[in-house]
Amino acid sequence: MKPYTDILKIFENSSLDFKLRQNNIDEWDENFSALEYKPVDYLAANIDYQTEYQKQNFDEFIDISSIIFSNENPIAIWPISIGIKDGKKFFSSQGENILPPIFLKNTSSKQIKKCISEIHKICIKVNLDHSKKYWMTSCAYVNKNYLSAWHLLCMTKKAECSLIHNLYVDLDRDIDEIWSNFRKSYKPLINKGEKLWNIEVHKSSIEKDIWSDFKNLHLNVSGRKTRSDKSWEIQFNNIKANNAFLITLKNDKNLVGGALFSYTLDEGRYDVGAYDRSLFDKPIGHAAQFTAIKEFKKMNLSLYKIGRRFYASDIPAPTEKELSIADFKEGFASFTQPEFILKNFI
């Protein structure tokens, strides 16, 4: 018996119909393409990578992301997973807070209301069955400045609300306006970096040895192997499939820095970077970020999510390294957007 059969049984007893993404890859992609705004969190390539990455934290980690149907018509996609550790099951969205379903265009408000009500009940039932006292959810930003129906439903069910802060670049602005919004001290550093380094953007035609060099740089900078070879292979294949690109910076023939960025037709995201520690006094990261922004502009994306803006008052308290990285990223951002974290009690 599959270790998640009990959870799928809860799905089957719902008034909604579900199809597992893993058995309907093309159908997931088709419905993802039909979304009004396409967040990286719901991208199949991201789900595949996160599923592999999370395996190091669990005895088993299984993607059960599903396409949701109403009256035999697809209305939403829902990225969810099951992690198993020491016999206990953890219901999440790829190891993080449970994301709500995201709805296809022209889904009626009535269908949305019914669907999120059912999903909320499913989350309660799954967590009750596994003796959890509460479950956490949050909503991916979809370029809307109002609270989602999911957020409001959770609040009516007495959820506790907290928030974190995420940094974005508004790619709909002219590149000169984006540049003018950068932290003043960054502009000469970017100019210097573009003169110092040979900067290249690697997309679907990337060669394996370039990716291997970046992987080795990351290993040297980290001082240890942080994740599986398969997770690196998935990211390489994502570049080949036009779901990501790699920016490399070289000094003569030596790789001194690299950064990986994933994207959809609407949104770009900074995933991972590695920079030669002996050159931290040089503007490597500054040049990489501006190169990515220019590349995203060429691709006509709407938003670039640089990452989380940590604050000293956050709970749990961030490390000094996290605060330093967040301060660096903030120097490029057009705006900061709250991400609401909802704690739902059983």
Side-chain angles (χ1 to χ4, degrees):
M1 180 180 291
K2 293 180 179 179
Y4 51 89
T5 300
D6 57 335
I7 292 173
L8 294 185
K9 184 65 69 175
I10 294 173
F11 288 8
E12 291 172 8
N13 291 334
S14 165
S15 62
L16 301 169
D17 294 319
F18 296 84
K19 279 188 181 180
L20 288 177
R21 182 188 78 94
Q22 57 186 272
N23 300 331
N24 302 275
I25 299 295
D26 291 342
E27 197 165 357
W28 176 281
D29 292 342
E30 180 182 340
N31 287 298
F32 177 82
S33 296
L35 298 175
E36 183 178 357
Y37 183 89
K38 304 162 189 64
V40 171
D41 284 330
Y42 292 73
L43 178 67
N46 179 70
I47 293 171
D48 289 337
Y49 167 73
Q50 294 295 341
T51 299
E52 175 59 30
Y53 178 83
Q54 290 295 339
K55 287 180 180 179
Q56 65 189 337
N57 300 321
F58 295 88
D59 299 324
E60 282 190 81
F61 197 82
I62 306 132
D63 172 41
I64 57 169
S65 297
S66 298
I67 307 164
I68 301 175
F69 290 78
S70 177
N71 298 323
E72 300 184 351
N73 295 313
I75 60 169
I77 56 176
W78 190 26
I80 43 173
S81 52
I82 297 295
I84 303 170
K85 181 76 172 178
D86 300 327
K88 296 181 179 179
K89 295 179 183 177
F90 299 87
F91 191 48
S92 70
S93 287
Q94 288 63 58
E96 301 293 337
N97 297 328
I98 295 171
L99 292 169
I102 190 168
F103 292 92
L104 278 61
K105 294 177 186 176
N106 302 319
T107 303
S108 70
S109 57
K110 183 178 179 180
Q111 286 176 312
I112 292 173
K113 185 176 180 179
K114 176 185 175 182
C115 180
I116 62 173
S117 177
E118 281 296 304
I119 294 299
H120 193 274
K121 291 174 184 176
I122 287 171
C123 290
I124 290 175
K125 177 63 175 172
V126 170
N127 285 281
L128 267 175
D129 284 359
H130 297 288
S131 303
K132 303 294 192 304
K133 294 181 180 179
Y134 62 85
W135 49 279
M136 307 292 289
T137 183
S138 59
C139 298
Y141 183 54
V142 292
N143 207 13
K144 303 285 187 184
N145 288 315
Y146 53 80
L147 298 175
S148 69
W150 175 255
H151 179 115
L152 297 175
L153 173 66
C154 289
M155 292 305 295
T156 63
K157 301 294 184 180
K158 301 182 180 180
E160 290 183 356
C161 182
S162 58
L163 65 84
I164 60 175
H165 302 81
N166 291 317
L167 299 166
Y168 290 85
V169 175
D170 182 356
L171 298 171
D172 287 332
R173 298 183 182 182
D174 182 81
I175 191 65
D176 291 334
E177 185 180 356
I178 293 173
W179 170 268
S180 69
N181 195 60
F182 289 166
R183 188 172 292 157
K184 185 177 180 181
S185 61
Y186 281 14
K187 297 170 185 177
L189 293 173
I190 293 170
N191 290 331
K192 183 178 180 181
E194 290 182 331
K195 293 176 182 177
L196 278 174
W197 318 118
N198 176 22
I199 304 173
E200 293 183 307
V201 179
H202 305 276
K203 293 190 172 183
S204 58
S205 59
I206 185 173
E207 297 177 2
K208 194 62 180 273
D209 61 342
I210 293 171
W211 183 247
S212 296
D213 288 344
F214 174 62
K215 180 181 175 182
N216 290 332
L217 177 63
H218 189 276
L219 176 62
N220 292 334
V221 170
S222 301
R224 61 187 177 87
K225 186 175 181 178
T226 59
R227 50 190 173 87
S228 70
D229 289 335
K230 187 174 180 181
S231 72
W232 283 97
E233 183 181 353
I234 289 172
Q235 287 183 320
F236 177 72
N237 290 333
N238 287 344
I239 298 173
K240 300 288 285 184
N242 291 311
N243 291 311
F245 61 75
L246 175 71
I247 291 175
T248 57
L249 302 94
K250 291 184 178 180
N251 181 358
D252 295 325
K253 294 184 179 180
N254 298 316
L255 184 69
V256 299
L260 178 70
F261 303 82
S262 55
Y263 58 87
T264 70
L265 292 176
D266 297 307
E267 178 181 280
R269 188 171 73 185
Y270 179 42
D271 284 342
V272 60
Y275 307 100
D276 187 333
R277 290 185 180 276
S278 68
L279 298 171
F280 268 15
D281 60 329
K282 302 290 194 300
I284 306 177
H286 300 79
Q289 288 294 329
F290 188 49
T291 300
I293 290 168
K294 289 188 290 184
E295 193 63 31
F296 286 140
K297 281 288 295 178
K298 290 179 188 176
M299 297 162 62
N300 294 317
L301 274 60
S302 297
L303 291 173
Y304 166 38
K305 184 178 182 180
I306 311 178
R308 181 172 169 183
R309 177 46 165 118
F310 288 94
Y311 289 97
S313 59
D314 287 349
I315 299 174
T319 64
E320 287 300 318
K321 181 179 180 180
E322 286 173 327
L323 288 169
S324 176
I325 293 173
D327 179 69
F328 165 75
K329 293 177 179 177
E330 188 176 40
F332 295 94
S334 306
F335 65 92
T336 305
Q337 183 71 20
E339 178 181 338
F340 296 99
I341 313 298
L342 299 162
K343 186 176 183 179
N344 298 267
F345 295 92
I346 304 300

